[in-house]
Amino acid sequence: MEFIIDGKKISQEIKDEIKEKVGKLKEQGREITLVVVLVGSDPASQVYVRNKQKACEYVGINSKTYELPETISQDELLELIGELNNDNRVNGILVQLPLPKHIDEDLIIKAISPLKDVDGFHPENVGKLSIGQPGFVSCTPAGVIELLKRYNIEIEGKHCVVIGRSNIVGKPMSMLLLRENGTVTICHSRTKDLKAITKQADILIASIGKPAFVTKDYIKEGAVVIDVGINRDENNKLCGDVDYENVKDHVRAITPVPGGVGPMTIAMLLQNCLESINYK
Ligand code: GUN
């Protein structure tokens, strides 16, 4: 391996850049406020939300969290979103997913004003990404592009293979790589002869959700590997979708888990919050 792609370090650099910009805006009397909505008491969601609050505090973005009971009705949640949409002190709205089963996630996402949708999940923002218009972009794939750029890893003309087709990662990831002039192949659970395709990748993005799934027989020697997975292995240890030990001497560069893509997601959320003041 030539180098490890250090997401922790890059995310810290980005947070410091944002902190400076937020400070300058404050001097002009301009504040940024993010509202996070957390429904229920899923422990993983609670950790994510706490990390988002801490990151906002670090850069000087105001954050307000609504912690709502699991039993809240869909109508009540829609009413809150309507209020937040109309509140001009609120720049960004983030509803932490997953939501309880009795609430239609798509309906909730669609109810958030696209101008405050710092997650980039609203169909209008997804559509804008696919036709090359400016709008909010989903944070995790945006973070992957930022990592590649800051490590001077060229995307243009490269064969980029994405494993996974989720709305949050796989699909927006593919659109972003295409926007950077990569040649993009999307693979998924029904793909036939997956290895034959992933072995063609100059840049391989693993977003599968299976611990240590990708071994070196899926990878061309000298490829760049981005591991978006966050899983627990049999010892309950955090691990990615890539078998790091197995592939590390075979690749040109790789993101570790933890400390790779994960920290970039929050940095990009802060970036989206900073941009949100231009959308008012
Ligand atoms: N749940 C897991 N990841 C995310 C995310 O990026 N945004 C939101 N809103 N919920 C999530």
Side-chain angles (χ1 to χ4, degrees):
M1 178 168 33
E2 265 179 51
F3 57 95
I4 291 174
I5 300 172
D6 187 344
K8 205 170 160 197
K9 178 177 130 225
I10 301 290
S11 85
Q12 188 59 49
E13 286 172 16
I14 294 171
K15 281 193 279 189
D16 287 332
E17 291 163 16
I18 293 174
K19 188 176 180 172
E20 201 179 319
K21 287 178 188 160
V22 171
K24 290 211 171 107
L25 285 167
K26 276 195 177 158
E27 283 168 19
Q28 302 164 17
R30 298 177 79 188
E31 298 267 336
I32 307 172
T33 299
L34 169 69
V35 170
V36 177
V37 179
L38 173 62
V39 181
S41 51
D42 175 57
S45 289
Q46 286 173 333
V47 173
Y48 290 142
V49 167
R50 205 172 317 126
N51 288 339
K52 287 170 189 178
Q53 288 167 331
K54 270 197 258 171
C56 282
E57 197 178 324
Y58 181 79
V59 301
I61 290 174
N62 306 318
S63 79
K64 176 165 187 194
T65 303
Y66 284 83
E67 293 190 33
L68 306 172
E70 185 94 23
T71 51
I72 189 171
S73 72
Q74 183 169 283
D75 283 346
E76 286 169 308
L77 186 55
L78 286 171
E79 197 180 317
L80 171 64
I81 291 169
E83 283 166 18
L84 297 171
N85 283 342
N86 292 328
D87 186 341
N88 61 17
R89 294 164 301 181
V90 175
N91 305 98
I93 303 169
L94 184 155
V95 178
Q96 186 65 27
L97 304 178
L99 290 169
K101 288 211 170 52
H102 66 278
I103 299 177
D104 179 349
E105 266 180 19
D106 288 340
L107 193 72
I108 298 299
I109 289 169
K110 221 164 51 182
I112 298 170
S113 162
L115 302 175
K116 299 188 178 187
D117 168 40
V118 285
D119 256 331
F121 293 168
H122 191 286
E124 186 173 313
N125 285 318
V126 176
K128 282 182 167 170
L129 169 62
S130 72
I131 59 175
Q133 291 180 2
F136 290 115
V137 176
S138 180
C139 302
T140 300
V144 171
I145 297 291
E146 197 62 33
L147 275 181
L148 294 171
K149 286 191 172 170
R150 288 188 185 230
Y151 274 91
N152 292 316
I153 297 166
E154 201 175 31
I155 303 170
E156 182 162 324
K158 293 289 161 29
H159 191 179
C160 307
V161 176
V162 179
I163 324 178
R165 55 173 160 177
S166 69
N167 291 341
I168 294 185
V169 182
K171 282 182 203 151
M173 186 75 254
S174 306
M175 296 313 301
L176 282 172
L177 290 163
L178 189 59
R179 191 164 86 176
E180 299 297 329
N181 299 314
T183 302
V184 182
T185 303
I186 309 171
C187 302
H188 48 80
S189 53
R190 310 284 174 87
T191 297
K192 291 205 172 78
D193 202 359
L194 180 60
K195 279 182 193 164
I197 300 168
T198 58
K199 261 185 161 322
Q200 295 171 32
D202 302 305
I203 300 172
L204 180 63
I205 317 277
S207 165
I208 314 156
K210 288 186 188 163
F213 178 86
V214 176
T215 50
K216 64 182 174 198
D217 43 328
Y218 285 84
I219 303 172
K220 176 169 76 178
E221 193 163 356
V224 171
V225 177
I226 306 293
D227 188 350
V228 184
I230 303 177
N231 313 292
R232 298 268 168 192
D233 69 9
E234 61 274 16
N235 303 315
N236 207 33
K237 198 171 152 241
L238 214 55
C239 76
D241 289 347
V242 179
D243 186 340
Y244 187 90
E245 284 304 313
N246 180 275
V247 311
K248 69 180 200 294
D249 297 325
H250 185 76
V251 300
R252 176 171 168 233
I254 184 168
T255 58
V257 177
V261 174
M264 292 301 290
T265 299
I266 287 192
M268 292 299 103
L269 172 67
L270 300 172
Q271 180 73 44
N272 280 351
C273 291
L274 180 59
E275 272 170 35
S276 69
I277 59 165
N278 301 319
Y279 289 124
K280 277 225 265 203

